[in-house]
Amino acid sequence: MSVLKRFWPALFGIVCILGLWQALVVITGVPGYVLPSPLAVMQAFAAHQQLLWHHAGITVIEIVAGLFIGCIGGLGTALALARFHGLRRTLLPILLISQAVPLFALAPILMLWLGYGMTAKIVMATLIIYFPVASTCYDGLRQTPQGWLDLAQTLGADRRRRLLRIQLPAALPALASGMRMAASAAPIGAVIGEWVGSSQGLGYLMLNANARMQVDLMFAALLILVTFGVALYFTTDALMRRLMPWHEDRTGATS
């Protein structure tokens, strides 16, 4: 009952949007190859289930692998930056420069280097996930209250223990924010890679359906992609809440 109460406003909003969409198509009479109705999208989904789930499985693997590698790499980078002060002058400018390069510009280069298989798409997803996790976690590590660090040093904790036992737990709320952003952005990298060059995946299916004027099938693939992205976000959110029960309790007490 509590879960339904929590998600009821979102479900109500989705139903309203679908109703307005259906009414817009019926009232304006817009052709189906321009904007299919929700009912047409559901019919296309039912008619091409096997095809959709086959391509969705490929994209899901790319997204999950990129999310895992990007989060591990971002966390490791943040810890290294907080632990080794000399590394900041070298690594931070590189991170900033890497984010100034548009992902679409990197996609053809990665395809050239890594081929048109799954590896290039996983790297694309990893790149779009890596920086939010690294930057938010590093900011959280830097914002640890100095009094906590002074007390740990007084008790004899060395720099490594202060980092892992004081700074890292204190940075978990910031890390959680970065991982939520990464989870919502994870599908972007994989789909961009599939658009640039692939023979499998939801991005490939969407381009192929668009070229054949199967716009209802393209919307069905987009629906699966959006659904998985939302599910990945809420799964990440639930996982981070379980890792930080004290933070949730404090938030609930103040609200």
Side-chain angles (χ1 to χ4, degrees), residues 70-207:
C71 288
I72 295 298
L75 176 60
T77 300
L79 291 173
L81 289 173
R83 175 65 177 84
F84 304 104
H85 298 289
L87 192 62
R88 300 176 192 172
R89 301 188 187 123
T90 303
L91 194 54
L92 279 177
I94 296 176
L95 291 176
L96 294 175
I97 292 172
S98 68
Q99 291 305 298
V101 180
L103 196 61
F104 263 113
L106 286 177
I109 300 175
L110 291 176
M111 297 299 163
L112 178 64
W113 290 348
L114 303 175
Y116 292 92
M118 191 178 293
T119 303
K121 285 74 174 180
I122 293 175
V123 172
M124 292 279 291
T126 301
L127 290 176
I128 205 170
I129 291 163
Y130 169 78
F131 186 77
V133 174
S135 60
T136 54
C137 184
Y138 179 56
D139 287 340
L141 292 171
R142 289 192 303 171
Q143 293 172 6
T144 304
Q146 187 62 40
W148 297 2
L149 299 176
D150 294 340
L151 177 60
Q153 186 175 8
T154 302
L155 295 174
D158 57 17
R159 290 182 62 183
R160 182 179 63 84
R161 290 186 177 181
R162 293 199 300 270
L163 176 63
L164 297 179
R165 299 188 180 183
I166 305 296
Q167 291 180 268
L168 182 57
L172 282 179
L175 175 62
S177 298
M179 290 189 65
R180 292 187 190 102
M181 288 190 297
S184 61
I188 298 175
V191 171
I192 288 177
E194 292 171 354
W195 283 348
V196 173
S198 68
S199 59
Q200 297 182 95
L202 288 175
Y204 163 80
L205 181 62
M206 291 170 66
L207 284 181

